[in-house]
Amino acid sequence: MSTDADVNASAPAGTDGLVMGKDGMAALVDVLIGRGFTVIGPTVRDGAIVLAELGSADELPYGWGVELEAGRYRLRERSDGAAFANSAGPQSWKSFLHPSRVREWSADRAKGQLVFEADHAPPPRYAFLGVRPCDLRAIAIQDRVLTGGAHRDPVYAGRRSGALLIAVECTEPGATCFCVSMNAGPAAGPGYDLVMTEVVDDDGHRFWIRGGSQEGAEILAELPGRPADPRTREAARAGVTAAADHMGRTMPEADLRELMAGTLDAPRWDDVAGRCLTCGNCTMVCPTCFCTTTEDVTDLTGDHAERWRLWDSCFDLDFSQLHGGPVRSSSRSRYRQWMTHKLGTWYDQFGSSGCVGCGRCIVWCPVGIDITEEAAALHDWAATTGSPDDSPDPDLPHGDGPP
Amino acid sequence: MTTVAPPLPYRVADTWAETADTWSIELVPVGEQLPSFAPGQFAMIYAFGVGEIPVSASGLRGRHGALVHTVRAVGAVSTALCRLRQGDTVGLSGPYGTGWDLRAAVGHDVLVIAGGIGLAPLRPVVHEVLDRPADYGSLTVLVGTRTPADMVYRDEIESWRGPARVEVTVDRPGPAWRGAVGVVTSLLDRLDLRPERTCALVCGPEVMIRHTARDLLVRGLVARRVQVSLERNMRCATGHCGHCQLGPLLLCRDGPVVSYDRVAPLLLVREL
Ligand SMILES: Cc1cc2nc3c(=O)[nH]c(=O)nc-3n(C[C@H](O)[C@H](O)[C@H](O)COP(=O)(O)OP(=O)(O)OC[C@H]3O[C@@H](n4cnc5c(N)ncnc54)[C@H](O)[C@@H]3O)c2cc1C
Ligand code: SF4
Ligand code: SF4
Ligand code: FES
């Protein structure tokens, strides 16, 4: 499993890969479909680049880019015809690996006895085409959360174990991206089966593609292309290096875990609470947020019941509900829960950051709240108030939880 | 395998009222049996069609390997569980959570402090210490409840007197009440604690836990030897749903029993 340190390591040795044109991309999608994969990739729909099932490579967003800002997302036509020169859209791969709604099991009542039955639907076998480095890291993080502990989430594990990951290195970060700060891009970390870098220059529009696993290498062997030439490799590497230099956002240079733990009483939380609508959009678009709730339903006969699992959000008032009321009733405490979890307590729970710097939460927040700006404000506050108070006075009045 | 294992069917062997709104339920496996529970661990109990909630095991040694749970009706699922009758079936999964660290208590005086239904997860501790007196020092049980009528395990508590020192206090006494009145921490004043030899186990409402733990430290116990069982909303009990977070902790996985030195600073942060 990846760690922070090894994410920007280079591709496994053994193949310099191929250089292929759009025909190679078309062949790749055909090969994947031929091998029985459901191919999911970016495509233009409803004014956005979304992730959807692809029937052919023609559906890739050739010639489309995006303009991103806090609270703003716009498609933009590109003259170079590039397919992957656009950064994260509203969805992430978690929609497929950790679906927003699944039936876990059902129960039937006959003569007073209950009979339980697990849901046996076989998982689809996905090929994800165009996984950005930040999202590749997000998948590694969800792997750790959902399959790395004492209990494995079988729904996630089933979908994940069959999934083929085809990464695309980032050459066109958006104005809201900060993967460099989170050490999650723009070069692809480990975990992919195939990785591509797209190059458009005087030598034409092409993809440098390399294998990262046995299965990836087998697929690579079926693709039309020529051995990678030094000019393409250099152009690809230069594009990725340049991307690292023009990230739109950056996190303060600080130990974010310590910063979060030391600023729980900062007045900035009141400030952001005044703007936050607690709509939970940031949690829905985040590629690592994993929280769910359960719903138990019965049919009209009353003798058949089902257990469903649904995405949930820590911005929901019900999320921390106890019988005496919610633990986190103020929006201040709920925004703080989200951000301190992402950047701080995630380390304690799962050994890494919960944020990969994809910027989605900034783009899709209706009021443009920016996690990097909030972190910077907390950092400034901690710097001006000296070392954060880590020994609160036990006799201060504190909110008493539910009875 | 890509399926979520459903709970196992358990049959209600017996139920009895503890108070007006609290019932104990004795459960036996219909077929396959769950692994055995340690004191302080909890089950997720599924009431058909209504929902599923975390409930501690309050008795581990019922007849034929039965588990006992004590439930206070506060909402839809807990009310459904309190309405169960002999022969009904529920779904059970577990055991979940850390449980009380009784190894840390070996050779120590054991001080059990419960508020209300917080006595439920501590009852197996009392049974364990009474079963193995040679392994532990003295046993003291302090119980606080709202009114005399809200006291769970009333007869059984009386039977602990003798081998254990038992003190009960109520917030609101009735005319017949002869015992102590006031918060459970006031009972500490009457004890001759040997703080360096005492291990305290505390469960109740969070505000009670906070005050009790603080008073124990004032009386010289070290925070490491104070264990507390905390409550948060729980949906999965497997570390996957995120609901039970208390700062860095996932209480279904890292709790519900935690030593006080780990959580003292967290319990002081409002709405964490
Ligand atoms: C580890 C653990 C052990 C517990 N042991 C016992 C026990 O031995 N006996 C007992 O009576 N109770 C116990 N509880 C509390 C019990 O789980 C709650 O009373 C119960 O969940 C309330 O659910 P309800 O549907 O009946 O109430 P409702 O009023 O329908 O629920 C109220 C709201 O509380 C929410 N809720 C979810 N989880 C909890 C929770 N953990 N506590 C409180 N509310 C919650 C429900 O989702 C709902 O939104 C325990 C809780 C935990 C976390
Ligand atoms: S917190 Fe925001 S930037 Fe970080 S991974 Fe989630 S959506 Fe992306
Ligand atoms: S930060 Fe923005 S997206 Fe997130 S809950 Fe608040 S208003 Fe909604
Ligand atoms: S109850 Fe789901 S993470 Fe703890």
Side-chain angles (χ1 to χ4, degrees):
Chain A
M1 195 137 290
S2 71
T3 63
D4 285 359
D6 61 19
V7 124
N8 283 323
S10 53
T15 170
D16 267 348
L18 295 177
V19 170
M20 60 185 199
K22 284 173 79 171
D23 61 324
M25 187 61 69
L28 172 60
V29 174
D30 292 344
V31 168
L32 295 170
I33 292 172
R35 284 178 166 248
F37 285 105
T38 299
V39 180
I40 308 292
T43 191
V44 173
R45 189 175 291 173
D46 301 331
I49 294 176
V50 300
L51 298 176
E53 183 169 351
L54 302 181
S56 84
D58 295 344
E59 295 167 54
L60 287 168
Y62 284 116
W64 287 101
V66 291
E67 268 170 26
L68 306 177
E69 243 322 316
R72 186 185 151 85
Y73 179 101
R74 292 285 181 280
L75 279 184
R76 171 172 67 82
E77 276 188 81
R78 297 179 64 93
S79 55
D80 63 2
F84 297 107
N86 43 71
S87 38
Q91 293 149 303
S92 69
W93 310 96
K94 87 171 176 186
S95 311
F96 301 93
L97 294 176
H98 187 45
S100 58
R101 201 160 186 273
V102 282
R103 184 171 56 204
E104 294 192 327
W105 42 261
S106 55
D108 286 281
R109 180 162 58 187
K111 301 196 197 86
Q113 296 302 307
L114 293 191
V115 178
F116 292 96
E117 194 177 356
D119 202 83
H120 288 291
R125 186 145 195 236
Y126 290 122
F128 294 157
L129 175 57
V131 181
R132 289 181 182 286
C134 56
D135 282 353
L136 193 63
R137 166 67 81 85
I139 292 171
I141 291 173
Q142 282 216 325
D143 285 352
R144 208 174 317 190
V145 171
L146 296 170
T147 65
H151 301 271
R152 285 162 67 83
D153 170 25
V155 176
Y156 182 86
R159 289 166 172 251
R160 176 69 178 93
S161 69
L164 190 88
L165 306 184
I166 303 165
V168 174
E169 297 196 283
C170 194
T171 51
E172 184 87 5
T176 48
C177 291
F178 57 101
C179 66
V180 168
S181 290
M182 304 318 288
N183 199 18
Y192 54 76
D193 295 282
L194 286 163
V195 63
M196 288 188 271
T197 318
E198 186 174 27
V199 177
V200 192
D201 61 14
D202 295 345
D203 292 350
H205 183 184
R206 57 209 191 277
F207 304 89
W208 175 33
I209 179 166
R210 293 89 76 193
S213 70
Q214 180 66 38
E215 192 169 20
E218 282 168 31
I219 291 166
L220 192 60
E222 295 183 45
L223 301 180
R226 53 188 161 81
D229 57 293
R231 273 174 65 99
T232 301
R233 288 205 308 253
E234 271 154 38
R237 293 217 168 97
V240 175
T241 308
D245 293 337
H246 57 259
M247 287 286 131
R249 297 282 201 276
T250 177
M251 272 290 178
E253 301 242 353
D255 181 326
L256 294 174
R257 177 171 171 262
E258 268 175 35
L259 179 64
M260 292 300 115
T263 53
L264 294 172
D265 290 323
R268 182 69 183 191
W269 299 115
D270 293 320
D271 182 281
V272 68
R275 290 172 278 136
C276 176
L277 311 173
T278 67
C279 66
N281 273 10
C282 48
T283 58
M284 297 295 126
V285 297
C286 179
T288 64
C289 274
F290 59 88
C291 290
T292 53
T293 187
T294 50
E295 199 174 82
D296 291 286
V297 294
T298 39
D299 70 359
L300 287 177
T301 68
D303 288 327
H304 176 78
E306 295 185 346
R307 156 61 58 80
W308 288 79
R309 184 175 82 189
L310 292 77
W311 282 359
D312 202 356
S313 169
C314 55
F315 284 93
D316 242 55
L317 200 50
D318 277 353
F319 190 82
S320 63
Q321 180 72 29
L322 292 179
H323 50 268
V327 173
R328 293 184 282 274
S329 54
S330 68
S331 48
R332 172 188 191 275
S333 67
R334 281 177 276 150
Y335 185 83
R336 184 182 67 183
Q337 164 62 27
W338 179 71
M339 183 165 154
T340 56
H341 187 218
K342 283 280 122 174
L343 301 179
T345 52
W346 204 295
Y347 282 99
D348 303 284
Q349 295 169 1
F350 305 110
S352 77
S353 173
C355 174
V356 298
C358 72
R360 287 183 178 91
C361 56
I362 305 173
V363 174
W364 298 97
C365 174
V367 292
I369 290 172
D370 176 344
I371 191 171
T372 65
E373 191 184 319
E374 296 311 312
L378 291 169
H379 186 53
D380 291 348
W381 181 79
T384 56
T385 54
S387 70
D389 180 14
D390 54 10
S391 56
D393 180 353
D395 289 322
L396 281 177
H398 289 285
D400 288 339
Chain B
M1 212 213 26
T2 61
T3 51
V4 175
L8 294 180
Y10 267 63
R11 192 170 45 77
V12 177
D14 199 2
T15 72
W16 58 95
E18 296 285 356
T19 72
D21 64 359
T22 304
W23 292 71
S24 284
I25 314 156
E26 191 180 33
L27 297 171
V28 291
V30 171
E32 198 188 331
Q33 188 170 352
L34 295 172
S36 53
F37 284 61
Q41 288 191 305
F42 66 95
M44 294 298 280
I45 310 187
Y46 169 73
F48 180 77
V50 185
E52 189 179 51
I53 58 170
V55 185
S56 306
S58 65
L60 307 178
R61 46 175 204 184
R63 290 155 285 177
H64 316 297
L67 278 166
V68 180
H69 294 274
T70 305
V71 183
R72 182 151 79 95
V74 299
V77 184
S78 51
T79 301
L81 294 179
C82 286
R83 289 206 180 122
L84 290 169
R85 290 297 160 256
Q86 213 176 58
D88 289 345
T89 327
V90 295
L92 207 68
S93 61
Y96 295 119
T98 46
W100 305 101
D101 183 0
L102 285 172
R103 269 172 317 177
V106 167
H108 288 73
D109 291 348
V110 177
L111 174 57
V112 164
I113 308 181
I117 195 158
L119 189 54
L122 284 163
R123 185 169 169 250
V125 171
V126 175
H127 293 165
E128 153 74 16
V129 177
L130 292 178
D131 279 355
R132 274 182 253 280
D135 287 354
Y136 305 94
S138 69
L139 171 64
T140 306
V141 181
L142 308 182
V143 181
T145 70
R146 288 174 297 180
T147 72
D150 286 312
M151 204 196 310
V152 290
Y153 318 131
R154 193 182 319 220
D155 297 341
E156 191 181 327
I157 289 173
E158 287 310 312
S159 77
W160 296 342
R161 285 186 203 276
R165 173 167 181 176
V166 179
E167 301 284 346
V168 179
T169 181
V170 300
D171 295 340
R172 280 174 280 128
W177 182 252
R178 297 282 166 270
V181 176
V183 291
V184 74
T185 45
S186 62
L187 297 175
L188 289 172
D189 297 335
R190 312 178 182 183
L191 299 182
D192 294 320
L193 274 181
R194 300 188 294 178
E196 68 293 346
R197 288 216 234 156
T198 300
C199 193
L201 314 179
V202 187
C203 184
E206 200 161 304
V207 53
M208 168 267 179
I209 289 177
R210 211 157 37 212
H211 284 109
T212 306
R214 193 190 299 165
D215 281 17
L216 289 169
L217 300 203
V218 168
R219 283 170 166 79
L221 265 79
V222 290
R224 197 165 36 79
R225 284 212 212 92
V226 178
Q227 298 176 35
V228 301
S229 181
L230 297 169
E231 184 176 325
R232 281 290 178 277
N233 193 320
M234 291 189 182
R235 287 279 156 246
C236 72
T238 56
H240 295 151
C241 78
H243 281 257
C244 65
Q245 291 179 71
L246 173 64
L249 304 176
L250 287 169
L251 282 178
C252 69
R253 181 189 78 177
D254 309 319
V257 178
V258 262
S259 74
Y260 187 64
D261 54 332
R262 282 185 82 190
V263 290
L266 305 176
L267 293 180
L268 292 174
V269 181
R270 196 183 182 117
E271 291 192 293
L272 189 62

